[in-house]
Amino acid sequence: MIKFLDLHKINERFRTQLDARFKEVLDSGWYIRGRQDELFEKHFATYTGAQHCIGVANGLDALNIIIKAYGFGPGDEIIVPANTYIATILAVSANGCTPVLVEPDIRTYNIHPDLIEAKITPRTKAIMVVHLYGQAVQMQKIWELAQKYHLKIIEDAAQAHGAEYQGRKTGNLGDAAGFSFYPGKNLGCLGDGGCVTTNDAALAAKVRALANYGSDRKYHHIYKGINSRLDELQAAFLDVKLPYLDADNARRREIAAFYRSHICNPRITLPQTYDEKSHVWHVFAVRVQNRAAFQKYLEDNGIQTVIHYPTPPHKQEAYREWAAHSFPVSETIHREIISIPISPVLTDEEVRETVHLLNAWK
Ligand SMILES: *Cc1c(COP(=O)(O)O)cnc(C)c1O
C-alpha cells in the first residue's frame, strides 16, 4: 500500500533529535512560552524573512487573532477565495466580519487576482489570500489593489511553508500571515501548533498579547484576549524539523516534476505552476471527471488518495445562508479534484508505481 502521507516515517527521521529536545523540555520544568518558543520564533521569522513571529495554538487561531488584532468586526468585509479549506472563512466569521467570496483561477486553483476588484466595497477591510495546495498566490495585482483601496493583506500560509513569489517567501508577502503546524503540513509538529508572522512591530505585540488573555505582562490585561499559545514541546519539535524543510520541499518538487513530465493520460488534468519556486506541493491535486471510479481504481491497486476538498465552504451546512450562492469554478474544482501521494519520504519506486497506475487508468 502506498500511503497518502506516512507521518510516522516522516518523523522517524528525526527521532534522536526529537527525543533529546523532549528531554530538554521535560528537564527544564517550563512548558509554555519559554526558551524553545523564543528559539523557534526567531528561526522561523528568519526563515520567512518577516521580522516577527509569534507562536500560537493552531492555524485557525493564527488567522482569527490577526483579524482581531486589526480590530475588524461586524460590518467589515474581508475578501476570501471561494476555493479554500473552510478554516480561512471560519476565521473571518469568528470575528463577526462578512466573508466575501471570490472565484479561483482554474489554472492555479488560487484566488483569481482579476476578479477581486469588482468585490471591493467601502466596507472592505482586507484581502485574505490562501496559498492553496502549496502554491504562492501571484501577488502583484493584489499588492496594487491593497495600495489603491487601503486594504490589509492577510496570508493564509497554512499549506505553503517555504513557497516563494518574486524571491520572497510566504509569510512575508502581505501585512500579516497565519501558518499552521498541524502534523500533515509541510512543517508539522506532533500535535497542534501555528504562528503569525508580520513586519509590523505594533501588530506583533498585539497578537502576542491577544493570544495570552490580552495580557502584555502578567495579570495586566489590555485586551479581551484568548488563550492560544504554542507550547514548549511543539516549539522544540518544530525547531528540530525547520532546518530540513527546504530539503523536504525540494524532494516534493522533484516528485511533482516527475509526475508532471511522466503522467500522460488525457483523462487526467495535471496541476499547473507559473514558476518552480512558487510551489512547495503540499498536495499534488489532479482533476478527473469520474472521480469516484478513479479513487476506487487507485485504492484497489494499493494507492491511497485524499480529496482536498469534497464540498466547497459555501455548500457546507455551517454556511447554509449561502446555499443558493453559485461559484461554478470552485464547484468544478471541488467536484473533480483528487490528491495523489506526495511527501518527502515517498520512494522513487512508489512514485514510478503511481505514475504507472495513473497512465494505465481507462
Ligand atoms: C490546515 C489549514 C488551516 C488551519 O490550520 P489548523 O492548524 O488545523 O487550525 C487553515 N487554512 C488552511 C488553508 C489549511 O490548510
Side-chain angles (χ1 to χ4, degrees), residues 11 13-14 17-18 21 36 38-49 53 161-162 169 179 181 186-189 195 234-249:
N11 290 316
R13 300 176 296 162
F14 312 112
Q17 283 174 279
L18 292 172
R21 292 293 277 272
Q36 307 290 341
E38 263 170 45
L39 271 178
F40 174 68
E41 287 176 356
K42 189 169 132 245
H43 294 154
F44 195 69
T46 303
Y47 179 81
T48 60
C53 170
H161 320 68
K169 284 201 168 72
F179 285 88
F181 303 121
N186 289 31
L187 179 61
C189 50
C195 79
Q234 299 306 336
F237 296 153
L238 289 165
D239 202 47
V240 164
K241 294 177 72 176
L242 178 59
Y244 304 96
L245 175 59
D246 280 344
D248 277 4
N249 283 343

Side-chain angles (χ1 to χ4, degrees), residues 57-63 83-89 91 128-133 156-161 178-185 191-195 282 308-309:
N58 56 66
L60 172 58
D61 279 3
L63 300 171
N83 184 51
T84 184
Y85 180 55
I86 198 166
T88 315
I89 298 173
M128 187 121 112
V129 296
V130 183
H131 309 296
L132 200 69
Y133 306 147
D156 178 342
Q159 300 190 355
H161 320 68
F179 285 88
S180 164
F181 303 121
Y182 181 78
K185 310 289 186 181
D192 271 315
C195 79
H282 173 58
H308 298 100
Y309 298 90

Side-chain angles (χ1 to χ4, degrees), residues 3-49:
K3 283 194 180 176
F4 179 72
L5 184 64
D6 190 338
L7 282 176
H8 178 264
K9 197 170 175 186
I10 283 180
N11 290 316
E12 187 59 32
R13 300 176 296 162
F14 312 112
R15 177 177 287 275
T16 312
Q17 283 174 279
L18 292 172
D19 275 347
R21 292 293 277 272
F22 170 78
K23 190 168 180 304
E24 202 180 300
V25 174
L26 182 63
D27 288 347
S28 76
W30 190 273
Y31 306 117
I32 290 172
R33 279 201 176 174
R35 200 181 103 80
Q36 307 290 341
D37 247 345
E38 263 170 45
L39 271 178
F40 174 68
E41 287 176 356
K42 189 169 132 245
H43 294 154
F44 195 69
T46 303
Y47 179 81
T48 60

Side-chain angles (χ1 to χ4, degrees), residues 112-351:
H112 201 312
D114 296 341
L115 303 179
I116 294 174
E117 192 163 16
K119 297 288 185 94
I120 295 173
T121 76
R123 291 177 299 282
T124 308
K125 290 294 194 298
I127 302 171
M128 187 121 112
V129 296
V130 183
H131 309 296
L132 200 69
Y133 306 147
Q135 174 150 245
V137 169
Q138 288 169 284
M139 297 297 296
Q140 189 59 49
K141 180 109 196 235
I142 297 170
W143 287 335
E144 287 161 18
L145 287 174
Q147 193 152 41
K148 182 171 168 192
Y149 294 98
H150 308 289
L151 307 176
K152 295 297 181 193
I153 297 176
I154 302 170
E155 296 173 75
D156 178 342
Q159 300 190 355
H161 320 68
E164 289 183 18
Y165 177 75
Q166 291 184 5
R168 281 161 61 182
K169 284 201 168 72
T170 61
N172 189 26
L173 296 175
D175 295 285
F179 285 88
S180 164
F181 303 121
Y182 181 78
K185 310 289 186 181
N186 289 31
L187 179 61
C189 50
L190 310 184
D192 271 315
C195 79
V196 172
T197 57
T198 180
N199 288 312
D200 179 339
L203 187 81
K206 192 165 180 187
V207 165
R208 193 176 291 285
L210 278 169
N212 191 29
Y213 303 112
S215 155
D216 62 342
R217 57 197 152 88
K218 200 160 176 134
Y219 303 135
H220 186 259
H221 302 271
I222 50 178
Y223 311 112
K224 297 182 188 75
I226 62 173
N227 174 7
S228 179
R229 301 172 298 214
L230 182 63
D231 66 66
E232 286 283 278
L233 264 185
Q234 299 306 336
F237 296 153
L238 289 165
D239 202 47
V240 164
K241 294 177 72 176
L242 178 59
Y244 304 96
L245 175 59
D246 280 344
D248 277 4
N249 283 343
R251 174 62 180 155
R252 287 173 183 272
R253 281 189 186 123
E254 192 175 68
I255 296 168
F258 191 86
Y259 279 162
R260 293 176 73 228
S261 57
H262 289 79
I263 298 171
C264 50
N265 183 333
R267 302 177 66 196
I268 299 171
T269 306
L270 295 171
Q272 297 182 40
T273 169
Y274 52 90
D275 152 37
E276 216 225 330
K277 288 243 167 121
S278 71
H279 215 319
V280 292
W281 302 100
H282 173 58
V283 298
F284 192 92
V286 303
R287 284 192 291 126
V288 291
Q289 295 290 329
N290 194 355
R291 180 172 65 190
F294 181 70
Q295 187 165 39
K296 182 165 187 312
Y297 161 80
L298 290 177
E299 180 78 38
D300 290 347
N301 286 282
I303 297 186
Q304 264 182 359
T305 56
V306 176
I307 294 168
H308 298 100
Y309 298 90
T311 309
H314 70 280
K315 295 292 182 198
Q316 296 282 356
E317 211 177 313
Y319 287 103
R320 56 184 80 74
E321 64 269 31
W322 292 340
H325 291 210
S326 159
F327 295 94
V329 182
S330 184
E331 285 159 29
T332 299
I333 293 170
H334 281 82
R335 193 166 55 244
E336 299 180 353
I337 207 99
I338 176 162
S339 306
I340 63 173
I342 192 164
S343 93
V345 296
L346 211 61
T347 65
D348 287 347
E349 198 188 329
E350 288 172 323
V351 172

